[in-house]
Structures are given as C-alpha cells and as structure tokens.
C-alpha cells in the first residue's frame, strides 16, 4: 500500500544549485500533479500531467520543469534554485482529471539558502 | 476566477468541544466541494466531499453541508479528539471542459486539540 512516494523528504540547497524531486505512484493513475505549500498560501499547482506523455503548466510554473518519465513517475526539477523556492512540495495523483479525489505523497521540505 | 476562503487559524480547542471551521467559495458554475486534512508530517487526505447543493458529506464524525444560497461548506464536528489535531483545507473543483477539472484550495486552518 505505498500509494504516492516522494523523495527526498528533506533537502537543503544553495542558491543556484539544481536538483530533481522524484515522485512515483503505484495505483495505475493517469494524472499526476506537483504542488507547493507555503505558510498562509495554501496549496498552489506548479505543473500537472493529465496522462503519460503530456505535461501542462499550473498556477506557479516559473523556475520549474517537469518530466513524466512513464505512467508511474513524475519528476520536478529546479534548474537554478532561488530562496523564493523554499517550500514544502507535494506530489499527487488521481485516476484521471475528471476524477476529483487526489492522493498525496508525504511531501519534500526544501530550503534554499 | 474560483476562490476559497476559510477562517484564519490556528484554532485551539479542548477535547470534546464542538468544532466549526468556516469555508466560503466563489465559483462561476456548480463546483464540487471538499475538505482535505493534513496530519503532522503527512500529505493531504480527502476527508469528505459534496457534489451538489444541499448534499451533506460526512466521515469520521465530521460533517459539511453544501449551501449554494450562502456559497458555504462549513466543517463541523460535535466532539473533537486530540487525534483530530491537523490542518484542514477546504477546496473546490469545477469542470473546466473536456472532462477535466480545476482544483482550488483554501489556505488551510490549523486545529490543535488539547486534553
């Protein structure tokens, strides 16, 4: 019963460094999402993938790139990290974009110094 | 555009107290409404949902009624427990065409229940 698995759980970067957040789901879901959670801001959608082979921008895509590697995996990349990207990042998935229930991973806490 | 407004936290209650967390929304059409819960160190989980006006969603003793006339979806529980301590998010989704939807979250309300 793994559900949605994210790695790493914690990461500290220096400004300008790059890194990739990994996400995998074992529920055979078609759609996957990346959100960021900031104090007082709720969750904001960064990018999503409605199905394997497609990706689209969400509300706050600047400074990020994504790859839908296969049906299971959806990665988020920061090419040149900035302090404004300090946040908690959540990956989520659901059967398809017409199915409203989201399943979330446990999050990645990222600090950019 | 769509938006969700929920009461500011944090909310601190004693065990067995009555809980209300207010949520109001703005949407162009007829959205579905949700409450998600985030326990410490975990991701969000769906707590309950309602898909049309006057529907009542319920789960684990929590309830919320979809009120179209007041555009509200307030979360209630009659007697909270320490284990209910978490952050609660109100959310809405609206069909944006071709079977897809857009999910909009509120900012979250932190609940702490003390023994």
């Amino acid at each position: 019963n793994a559900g949605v698995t994210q790695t790493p759980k914690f990461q500290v970067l220096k400004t300008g460094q790059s890194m990739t957040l990994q996400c995998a789901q074992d529920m055979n879901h078609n759609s996957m999402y990346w959100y960021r959670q900031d104090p007082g801001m709720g969750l904001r959608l960064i990018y999503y993938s409605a199905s394997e082979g497609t990706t689209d921008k969400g509300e706050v895509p600047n400074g990020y790139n994504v790859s839908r590697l296969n049906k299971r995996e959806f990665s988020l990349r920061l090419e040149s990290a900035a302090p404004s990207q300090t946040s908690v990042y959540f990956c989520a998935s659901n059967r398809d974009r017409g199915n409203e229930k989201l399943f979330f991973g446990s999050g990645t806490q990222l600090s950019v110094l | 555009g769509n938006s969700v407004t929920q009461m500011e936290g944090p909310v601190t209650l004693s065990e067995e107290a009555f809980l209300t967390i207010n949520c109001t929304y703005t949407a162009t059409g007829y959205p579905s409404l949700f409450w998600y819960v985030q326990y410490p160190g975990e991701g969000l989980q769906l707590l309950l949902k309602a898909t049309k006006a006057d529907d009542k969603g319920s789960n684990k003793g929590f309830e919320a009624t979809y009120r179209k006339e007041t555009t509200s979806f307030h979360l209630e529980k009659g007697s909270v427990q320490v284990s209910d301590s978490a952050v609660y998010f109100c959310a809405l989704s609206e069909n944006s065409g071709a079977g897809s939807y857009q999910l909009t979250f509120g900012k979250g309300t932190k609940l702490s229940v003390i023994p």
Side-chain angles (χ1 to χ4, degrees):
Chain A
N1 291 341
V4 179
T5 304
Q6 291 181 234
T7 56
K9 289 190 178 299
F10 302 95
Q11 184 71 49
V12 178
L13 295 177
K14 295 180 180 179
T15 297
Q17 287 185 315
S18 62
M19 78 159 295
T20 299
L21 281 64
Q22 307 288 352
C23 175
Q25 52 87 14
D26 62 1
M27 296 173 281
N28 202 37
H29 285 166
N30 290 311
S31 299
M32 299 184 73
Y33 309 80
W34 277 104
Y35 287 89
R36 60 177 289 173
Q37 182 182 28
D38 301 294
M41 300 290 290
L43 274 77
R44 292 181 292 172
L45 182 64
I46 304 171
Y47 270 94
Y48 67 94
S49 171
S51 60
E52 187 179 355
T54 69
T55 61
D56 285 287
K57 295 178 180 179
E59 181 184 356
V60 288
N62 290 347
Y64 305 95
N65 286 300
V66 290
S67 295
R68 183 74 183 267
L69 304 170
N70 48 55
K71 192 171 186 179
R72 291 186 64 248
E73 298 173 288
F74 187 41
S75 62
L76 178 73
R77 182 160 178 83
L78 287 70
E79 289 291 352
S80 178
S84 61
Q85 294 179 303
T86 294
S87 188
V88 180
Y89 291 85
F90 287 99
C91 179
S93 72
N94 60 4
R95 181 165 50 85
D96 53 53
R97 289 207 78 210
N99 183 303
E100 299 158 318
K101 180 178 179 180
L102 283 173
F103 293 80
F104 283 83
S106 58
T108 297
Q109 189 168 318
L110 174 67
S111 295
V112 183
L113 307 177
Chain B
N2 297 340
S3 66
V4 175
T5 302
Q6 52 183 118
M7 64 187 289
E8 297 282 331
V11 174
T12 302
L13 295 174
S14 298
E15 208 165 21
E16 299 184 1
F18 184 85
L19 168 70
T20 300
I21 300 178
N22 290 337
C23 172
T24 57
Y25 68 89
T26 302
T28 53
Y30 302 96
S32 296
L33 302 174
F34 308 83
W35 279 99
Y36 278 82
V37 59
Q38 183 182 26
Y39 297 106
E42 299 183 10
L44 280 72
Q45 306 172 25
L46 181 64
L47 180 60
L48 53 85
K49 65 181 281 188
T51 57
K52 61 183 187 297
D54 300 324
D55 268 2
K56 178 185 284 188
S58 61
N59 186 24
K60 300 182 180 180
F62 291 89
E63 293 183 338
T65 301
Y66 190 143
R67 300 288 188 200
K68 188 169 182 291
E69 64 276 15
T70 54
T71 61
S72 65
F73 193 56
H74 305 322
L75 181 69
E76 297 181 336
K77 187 174 185 181
S79 176
V80 294
Q81 305 300 313
V82 172
S83 57
D84 293 327
S85 298
V87 181
Y88 293 82
F89 292 88
C90 186
L92 70 82
S93 75
E94 191 165 37
N95 196 316
S96 55
S100 67
Y101 73 95
Q102 191 70 29
L103 192 66
T104 302
F105 286 92
K107 295 182 179 180
T109 302
K110 183 176 182 180
L111 171 66
S112 296
V113 181
I114 54 177

